[in-house]
């Protein structure tokens, strides 16, 4: 039986990180549907069922190139989100010692020490300078 399933899955996409995320979202929607009532209950269950069907479609798809492209887009989006959250966390930790400015021309984040009064801030990325109070 295991050999037959292995032969069936040859040339198919299988499971990836996007499938795991979609399956988790389907489970969350099923739980939310279990604790709600009426029309919302039905909507959550239909959405969960649609996600689970999508997971199985992606898993058994033979268009591996397209599924990998979708998974890569998901991973890039997830990476950008976590990088942004990490940057916000680091700025929060450093808020007592540094003040943060955004460059008016290139929008880069600039960090200057607190308690220096009005200072001229020069952007390292674009070379633009502006005055800011630290």
């Amino acid at each position: 039986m295991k050999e037959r399933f292995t032969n069936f899955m040859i040339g198919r996409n299988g499971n990836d990180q996007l499938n795991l995320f979609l399956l988790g979202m389907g489970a969350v929607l099923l739980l939310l549907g279990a604790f709600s009532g009426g029309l919302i209950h039905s909507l959550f269950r239909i959405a969960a069922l649609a996600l689970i069907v999508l997971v199985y479609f992606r898993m058994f798809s033979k268009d591996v190139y397209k599924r990998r492209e979708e998974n890569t887009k998901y991973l890039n989006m997830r990476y950008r989100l976590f990088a942004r959250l990490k940057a916000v966390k680091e700025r929060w930790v450093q808020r007592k010692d540094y003040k943060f400015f955004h460059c008016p021309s290139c929008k880069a984040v600039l960090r200057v020490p607190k308690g220096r009064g009005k200072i001229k801030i020069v952007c390292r990325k674009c070379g633009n300078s502006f005055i800011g109070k630290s």
Side-chain angles (χ1 to χ4, degrees), residues 31-81:
L31 285 174
L32 289 174
F35 294 117
S36 60
L39 179 65
I40 294 174
H41 171 75
S42 299
L43 291 176
F44 278 139
R45 296 201 51 167
I46 289 171
L49 182 64
L51 283 177
I52 292 170
V53 167
L54 178 63
V55 165
Y56 278 106
F57 168 76
R58 292 189 77 254
M59 188 183 306
F60 295 131
S61 173
K62 285 194 171 189
D63 194 356
V64 177
Y65 177 75
K66 198 171 225 178
R67 301 295 87 83
R68 283 187 185 165
E69 190 176 295
E70 292 167 354
N71 191 46
T72 302
K73 285 181 183 179
Y74 163 72
L75 290 175
N76 287 338
M77 186 174 58
R78 190 177 84 175
Y79 173 76
R80 285 193 306 266
L81 174 69

Side-chain angles (χ1 to χ4, degrees), residues 53-134:
V53 167
L54 178 63
V55 165
Y56 278 106
F57 168 76
R58 292 189 77 254
M59 188 183 306
F60 295 131
S61 173
K62 285 194 171 189
D63 194 356
V64 177
Y65 177 75
K66 198 171 225 178
R67 301 295 87 83
R68 283 187 185 165
E69 190 176 295
E70 292 167 354
N71 191 46
T72 302
K73 285 181 183 179
Y74 163 72
L75 290 175
N76 287 338
M77 186 174 58
R78 190 177 84 175
Y79 173 76
R80 285 193 306 266
L81 174 69
F82 284 125
R84 183 170 289 155
L85 290 175
K86 184 178 178 183
V88 168
K89 180 183 174 189
E90 286 181 18
R91 284 176 59 182
W92 180 258
V93 169
Q94 297 175 1
R95 74 188 185 282
K96 292 180 183 175
D97 300 325
Y98 297 97
K99 185 161 183 180
F100 294 90
F101 293 94
H102 289 279
C103 176
S105 62
C106 70
K107 308 299 184 214
V109 177
L110 307 170
R111 182 182 79 167
V112 296
K114 278 191 170 182
R116 303 283 173 129
K118 281 191 175 181
I119 57 173
K120 180 180 179 182
I121 303 167
V122 179
C123 178
R124 291 185 179 190
K125 188 174 178 183
C126 67
N128 185 31
S129 62
F130 59 95
I131 304 292
K133 184 178 176 186
S134 65

